[in-house]
Amino acid sequence: MDLGERLDKIWDRISDEDFLANKGVANEVRYYVFDYEPCDELVVREKIKALEKQNNKDADGFQIVEFDLYKIIIGILEERGYIDKCIKFEGTKGQDYLYNAVGKLLRLTNDDNLIVNHIVKNTPDKSVVFLTGVGKAFPFVRSHNVLNNLHQVLDKVPVVMFYPGRWNGQTLELFGTINDGNYYRAFPLVD
């Protein structure tokens, strides 16, 4: 199935009663991945905008809520006044130092992960969460870490990660070349 056909199936999938119930056969919380070739990023972004525009939360019974991981990171850095510091760190101490410093600031490996907290705090009931900006957020944020941490605290709504790369049901491969880690709890959004 080509990308256009897969994109056309998203609305039917996310508006399905079983999908919105957010529970699987064994009562597990459902997380989903929509993977695509990185070169199709702009097409996927346009489809997400169209789906958000199509969505009428009162008539549909749910609201699409998009969280762009990159925008969340930039927002946190701006809020704390760290944008200029990050630019200086990169220039004086290098990229690796910058990645580590930002990771510590975001508390990526802690239970108090600022990205996860932002998503949980801003997710209303009866919504479908779209996680986007995965490619833009790399290497600051690894998508499997976000999913693992989010999976532990957000179980009231379905979560769909739009992933520029490959996902084979167990391993995420960002841009089709970078092993982004194992994540086996998700399901394909559309086959």
Side-chain angles (χ1 to χ4, degrees):
M1 178 179 332
D2 73 11
L3 178 65
E5 293 171 314
R6 292 178 66 228
L7 289 169
D8 287 342
K9 290 185 174 208
I10 292 175
W11 180 260
D12 289 339
R13 182 73 171 118
I14 66 172
S15 60
D16 179 80
E17 273 184 42
D18 289 338
F19 179 89
L20 294 170
N22 199 36
K23 298 290 181 188
V25 177
N27 225 17
E28 76 274 9
V29 176
R30 291 291 182 117
Y31 275 52
Y32 300 87
V33 174
F34 185 91
D35 62 344
Y36 54 92
E37 292 297 322
C39 62
D40 293 321
E41 177 71 27
L42 297 179
V43 174
V44 173
R45 284 186 200 173
E46 287 301 314
K47 182 61 176 186
I48 291 168
K49 285 180 193 172
L51 290 167
E52 289 173 322
K53 189 174 181 179
Q54 175 182 348
N55 181 221
N56 177 327
K57 74 176 184 175
D58 295 326
D60 299 329
F62 69 94
Q63 174 184 354
I64 295 172
V65 182
E66 179 186 359
F67 293 102
D68 182 315
L69 298 177
Y70 179 77
K71 289 180 181 178
I72 293 171
I73 293 168
I74 295 299
I76 292 168
L77 292 174
E78 285 175 344
E79 178 183 298
R80 296 183 178 229
Y82 284 139
I83 294 290
D84 290 336
K85 288 178 185 175
C86 287
I87 293 168
K88 287 178 187 172
F89 281 160
E90 184 175 20
T92 60
K93 299 188 180 202
Q95 288 180 336
D96 290 339
Y97 183 87
L98 174 64
Y99 300 150
N100 288 329
V102 171
K104 286 178 184 174
L105 169 74
L106 297 172
R107 303 181 197 141
L108 295 178
T109 58
N110 298 354
D111 291 339
D112 194 23
N113 182 313
L114 296 182
I115 294 172
V116 170
N117 289 348
H118 175 84
I119 293 168
V120 171
K121 178 181 170 190
N122 294 288
T123 299
D125 292 336
K126 297 187 178 184
S127 61
V128 174
V129 169
F130 282 3
L131 295 179
T132 63
V134 171
K136 296 184 293 183
F138 179 83
F140 294 100
V141 174
R142 304 296 292 256
S143 55
H144 74 282
N145 287 336
V146 172
L147 289 176
N148 281 328
N149 290 325
L150 197 57
H151 198 272
Q152 295 173 28
V153 294
L154 184 64
D155 62 359
K156 63 183 179 176
V157 299
V159 175
V160 178
M161 183 176 66
F162 288 86
Y163 192 78
R166 293 186 201 110
W167 177 73
N168 65 12
Q170 291 195 350
T171 304
L172 295 161
E173 199 173 272
L174 189 62
F175 309 129
T177 59
I178 300 168
N179 184 337
D180 198 23
N182 293 331
Y183 188 77
Y184 56 87
R185 293 183 183 115
F187 298 87
L189 182 63
V190 294
D191 293 322

